[in-house]
Amino acid sequence: MTYSNRIQIAQATTDWAKSLAQRSTHFVTLNPHRPARFDRGGVNTRGSDAHALLRRWDAYVNCDLIGKRWQEAGMRHLRCEWVAYPEGHELNRHWHLLWRLSADLYPERVDRAINDHLIRSTTYERQLEHLLNWHWKRVIPSGTCVIREVSSPDGLAFYATKEQIFTDNQASFITSKEFHTS
C-alpha cells in the first residue's frame, strides 16, 4: 500500500471518528500496562489479544449497568457503545475509545452500580471513571482506565486516530457492536 493510500485511509477514519465523537459522551483510554496484541488473537494468545480484553471489559460494564439480562435482544438499546482505536507499539499499547452511555439507560442504574462498588468520589465523572477502571482491572489487573467527558469532539477524534496512518493499526480498531450478537 502506498503512503498516499495510507493517508487517505487515515483521513477517512478520522472523519468517521469525528461523526462518532459528536454522539459520544466520554473519551476513555484503556491501558493494560503489559504487552497485549492488537489483533483478534489466535490459539496461542490465551485471551491477551485486544479483542478478548475489550470483549470481557464490555461484558462486565454492560452487565453491571444493565443487569444480568444485558445480553437479551430487548436490552440492546441500553448497552454502552464505543469504538476503540489502538495506539502505541511493543510495551506501551493501549486503546482510545469514543464511548457513550445509552440515552435510554436510567441514571438510577448507573447510581446503583456506583453504590454497589462503594465508589465515593466528588464528581459523577470520577465515579464513572472508578467504575470503568474497576472493571478494566477485573480483566487485566495491571491496567488503568482514564475517562474524560467529550468537550471537543473534533480534537478527540483526531487524537484517537492519530496512529491510523500505520498499516497495522488501520485494521485494528474494534467496535462494541462486534460483541453484541443478539
Side-chain angles (χ1 to χ4, degrees):
M1 176 180 305
T2 67
Y3 182 74
S4 63
N5 286 355
R6 289 192 339 221
I7 293 281
Q8 289 174 337
I9 292 170
Q11 184 59 52
T13 302
T14 301
D15 292 344
W16 177 55
K18 285 179 183 179
S19 71
L20 293 172
Q22 295 290 335
R23 298 184 311 251
S24 297
T25 57
H26 296 85
F27 181 72
V28 178
T29 300
L30 296 176
N31 193 329
H33 295 291
R34 70 175 179 99
R37 298 170 53 127
F38 279 165
D39 63 9
R40 282 167 170 70
V43 292
N44 295 324
T45 60
R46 292 186 218 151
S48 66
D49 59 281
H51 202 258
L53 296 174
L54 293 171
R55 178 179 38 82
R56 286 197 307 269
W57 176 75
D58 180 72
Y60 285 142
V61 170
N62 281 309
C63 183
D64 203 13
L65 292 174
I66 299 169
K68 293 180 181 180
R69 296 177 35 214
W70 73 273
Q71 293 185 45
E72 293 179 9
M75 299 295 192
R76 181 179 297 135
H77 68 288
L78 297 176
R79 295 175 188 160
C80 298
E81 293 181 2
W82 50 264
V83 176
Y85 296 97
E87 184 177 311
H89 298 284
E90 300 301 321
L91 299 177
N92 188 29
R93 292 184 173 164
H94 55 281
W95 298 272
H96 293 296
L97 285 71
L98 297 172
W99 186 84
R100 76 178 178 125
L101 282 168
S102 169
D104 296 332
L105 188 65
Y106 296 117
E108 295 82 23
R109 289 184 184 252
V110 178
D111 291 340
R112 178 189 45 82
I114 288 169
N115 289 330
D116 285 351
H117 297 291
L118 303 174
I119 297 171
R120 303 287 179 247
S121 290
T122 55
T123 65
Y124 176 74
E125 290 304 313
R126 293 291 294 151
Q127 291 175 332
L128 193 56
E129 180 176 25
H130 285 299
L131 181 69
L132 298 181
N133 191 49
W134 192 84
H135 288 298
W136 185 238
K137 287 193 174 294
R138 286 179 71 189
V139 172
I140 186 158
S142 63
T144 56
C145 170
V146 177
I147 180 173
R148 298 290 176 256
E149 191 171 340
V150 172
S151 58
S152 171
D154 289 355
L156 289 176
F158 177 76
Y159 184 78
T161 61
K162 67 183 174 283
E163 288 196 6
Q164 291 299 299
I165 187 75
F166 302 120
T167 306
D168 290 346
N169 290 2
Q170 288 180 343
S172 298
F173 68 86
I174 299 173
T175 72
S176 60
K177 300 276 188 190
E178 295 176 41
F179 309 127
H180 303 167
T181 57
S182 60

